[in-house]
Amino acid sequence: MPFAAAVNRHADEHPHSPAFQIEGRVFTYGELQRLAGQLVAAFDELAGSTLHRSVLGNRSRLIALEAGNHPLFAAAFLAATSNGHCVALIDPHLPASTREAMRDRLSPDLVISANGAGLSLQAPASGEMRSLRETDGNERAPLAAGAGTEPFLIVFTSGTTGTPKAIIRDRGSWRRSLATSERFFGIDSETRTFAPGPLAHGLTLYALAETLVAGAEFIGTAHFDAARSLRLIEAGAVKRLVLVPTMLRRLCAAAGGNPCASVTQITVAGSKLTTGDRADAAIAFPAAAVIEYYGASELGFISVASQNDTASATAVGRAFPGVTLSIRNDTGDEVPAGETGTIFVDSTLVSDGYVGDADGAGFRRLGRLATVGDLGFLDEDGTLHLLGRAGGMVLSGGNNIYPQEVETTLTAHPGVHAAVVLGLDHPDLGSELVAVIEPEGSAFDREALGRHLAAHLPRYKHPRRLWLCRKMPMTRSGKVAAGLLRQWISDENDGLERID
């Protein structure tokens, strides 16, 4: 069902049911519909008579949403995706120069940003601005669902040059994806969901959309804090968590052996869970089934794994419903089971690609197939193994090494909480494989880690240098800030302790 149509239906049938909660403010479906309608009316007032100036031209009005995890985010997202509009999500915590470059690339018709408890709306072409607060008047426009072929959503993903790439998706692909995930994950009006990541990023945004389409309550937070998040989960009797592995680890640690019984499902993406992660989750959330999925903003869902599908350090499960996997070599030919190549998908969930010029890497098509350049292989039984992104491969001493495989092996060791593997320039080897490790607890047994690596990886895949980091620096999306760690190594930062 279209996003706007679903919210309209829930607002008509149960207007007082909670829809969106953040920072203690709960919006009902009726309030969400009212506020979104006010925003649509304001859009028409600000830019209704102005010719479209964005990269989309006359295809759609493009609205840049730069509000972050704001109490009015859900209303703004609903308004900016209804009535034929297309929304572009920009994380307000990115550097100002990066955000300016994003806006310059898109040239949006309207920009929405946070303004205290309210929002600021700006029409760049005219320079006109308007403020909207939750308590403003009742003048509003109806929320209408657009056609499936219309542009609907632009999100940004990292480029190999460091410049974010804009990915555009039409309404039809999201509608198909939401319908599939609702059935697969069993989401209904009782599936109260907590997703603590940035709403400008795909994982949390999608959790918001699928929760609202189902008529359930979505709970977010402006900033992730494990202890505070646990209190929210318990107070709200949350049934489902959607988050990245690092956040799950923090929640399990904060639980301290005190189980939370309300959670029945945990959906994880972004990187692979370890056996230890699953064991910790079973203690902290004993009633929860843990589901991991591998996907990409450009491709949508790719594979999905339960506990029984992740025995291997590189296994990421089997094809998501409706997705067909194919491993291809450099000439585009399919390779046999067990042989490494580029992962392609045949799926109706694939995006329309990038807006404007990209960096020559990432998304590309091969007939009906599409890829983002990830490398892996398929087992005879159809299990997909992910080895890493082609551009991230390290060539060391003539050997091709995929850092993700080494990271997965490191974090499978009980003494390692998190790990980042990097390739650094080396005058003899070309690149030298190094690792930064966040230990599990205060003590760290280097010899035990060496035995673990020897049992699971050939010698050339062992990091030649190791640093301990007592608390990894994190990005706002909950992932380890690998770029910052690389800089810390170069600067000999005190946050790292050289052990090898």
Side-chain angles (χ1 to χ4, degrees):
M1 175 179 289
F3 186 52
V7 174
N8 281 335
R9 190 190 77 185
H10 300 316
D12 291 342
E13 295 179 354
H14 43 91
H16 303 298
S17 294
F20 180 72
Q21 178 184 159
I22 195 164
E23 298 306 303
R25 177 64 174 94
V26 180
F27 294 85
T28 66
Y29 276 93
E31 289 173 320
L32 195 59
Q33 183 192 51
R34 174 181 63 81
L35 288 166
Q38 288 177 223
L39 280 164
V40 170
F43 297 163
D44 290 338
E45 182 181 324
L46 272 175
S49 61
T50 304
L51 291 175
H52 295 307
R53 63 187 290 274
S54 77
V55 294
L56 299 180
N58 290 324
R59 295 176 65 195
S60 178
R61 178 183 288 162
L62 180 59
I63 301 170
L65 178 52
E66 202 171 330
N69 288 25
H70 188 277
L72 295 180
F73 179 92
F77 180 73
L78 176 59
T81 54
S82 65
N83 298 54
H85 304 144
C86 178
V87 68
L89 293 174
I90 298 176
D91 189 340
H93 292 86
L94 290 170
S97 59
T98 302
R99 288 184 279 119
E100 183 178 3
M102 291 173 167
R103 291 191 296 270
D104 287 346
R105 174 178 296 184
L106 300 177
S107 192
D109 299 299
L110 292 168
V111 177
I112 305 174
S113 56
N115 181 12
L119 297 172
S120 288
L121 282 60
Q122 180 184 16
S126 65
E128 287 189 68
M129 296 189 68
R130 177 172 173 176
S131 295
L132 184 136
R133 296 171 300 172
E134 183 186 337
T135 55
D136 284 349
N138 290 321
E139 180 183 349
R140 61 184 188 269
L143 303 178
T149 56
E150 288 177 346
F152 160 71
L153 173 68
I154 294 176
V155 294
F156 286 87
T157 189
S158 300
T160 58
T161 63
T163 303
K165 294 183 288 189
I167 303 161
I168 187 166
R169 185 174 289 281
D170 67 31
R171 297 178 190 278
S173 68
W174 250 48
R175 289 171 186 172
R176 291 187 293 271
S177 182
L178 287 167
T180 303
S181 64
E182 183 177 10
R183 291 191 300 269
F184 180 82
F185 293 113
I187 303 169
D188 59 26
S189 61
E190 301 300 318
T191 311
R192 184 178 288 114
T193 297
F194 177 68
L199 284 161
H201 295 194
L203 177 64
T204 312
L205 178 75
Y206 190 82
L208 170 67
E210 61 187 358
T211 304
L212 294 184
V213 166
E217 181 183 7
F218 175 93
I219 302 174
T221 182
H223 305 284
F224 176 69
D225 175 86
R228 183 168 175 265
S229 293
L230 273 178
R231 291 194 294 271
L232 283 171
I233 293 166
E234 291 169 348
V238 166
K239 285 192 172 183
R240 183 183 184 218
L241 308 180
V242 180
L243 67 185
V244 295
T246 305
M247 290 178 173
L248 179 59
R249 292 177 193 127
R250 300 283 191 263
L251 287 177
C252 291
N258 297 314
C260 176
S262 68
V263 177
T264 58
Q265 186 181 125
I266 301 173
T267 302
V268 178
S271 61
K272 186 176 166 64
L273 293 174
T274 68
T275 303
D277 292 335
R278 286 182 171 273
D280 291 343
I283 295 171
F285 306 100
V290 180
I291 301 173
E292 298 178 68
Y293 75 81
Y294 155 55
S297 298
E298 297 94 328
L299 305 178
F301 292 109
I302 297 173
S303 67
V304 63
S306 63
Q307 183 169 356
N308 296 330
D309 299 321
T310 57
S312 166
T314 56
V316 290
R318 305 188 187 203
F320 195 80
V323 175
T324 301
L325 301 174
S326 179
I327 309 299
R328 304 270 165 161
N329 60 21
D330 292 341
T331 61
D333 297 318
E334 194 162 25
V335 302
E339 186 172 321
T340 297
T342 301
I343 301 168
F344 282 84
V345 303
D346 183 354
S347 167
T348 61
L349 311 181
V350 173
S351 73
D352 295 337
Y354 300 128
V355 177
D357 296 330
D359 54 12
F363 180 83
R364 63 185 174 92
R365 286 190 175 273
L366 183 66
R368 288 174 51 89
L369 302 174
T371 185
V372 290
D374 284 351
L375 301 173
F377 63 91
L378 285 169
D379 276 347
E380 293 284 355
D381 66 359
T383 298
L384 179 65
H385 293 254
L386 179 64
L387 298 179
R389 184 67 55 90
M393 184 185 72
V394 175
L395 181 61
S396 181
N399 296 302
N400 295 337
I401 306 171
Y402 301 105
Q404 183 169 326
E405 179 187 11
V406 183
E407 289 174 357
T408 302
T409 303
L410 285 169
T411 54
H413 180 63
V416 176
H417 184 74
V420 171
V421 175
L422 305 167
L424 302 181
D425 290 341
H426 191 277
D428 181 38
L429 299 172
S431 289
E432 179 184 31
L433 201 69
V434 305
V436 180
I437 291 170
E438 180 179 334
E440 191 70 66
S442 57
F444 181 73
D445 190 335
R446 175 64 182 91
E447 292 184 359
L449 179 64
R451 292 191 296 271
H452 172 78
L453 288 171
H456 293 89
L457 291 175
R459 185 69 187 89
Y460 71 87
K461 292 184 180 181
H462 295 199
R464 290 168 56 88
R465 288 192 285 164
L466 289 173
W467 286 265
L468 291 184
C469 181
R470 294 297 170 181
K471 188 170 184 179
M472 291 281 199
M474 310 298 293
T475 66
R476 284 197 71 251
S477 61
K479 297 180 181 180
V480 176
L484 183 57
L485 286 175
R486 185 184 291 272
Q487 186 64 47
W488 284 8
I489 291 172
S490 176
D491 296 342
E492 299 183 358
N493 189 285
D494 289 341
L496 300 179
E497 175 189 347
R498 175 77 182 274
I499 61 170
D500 202 2

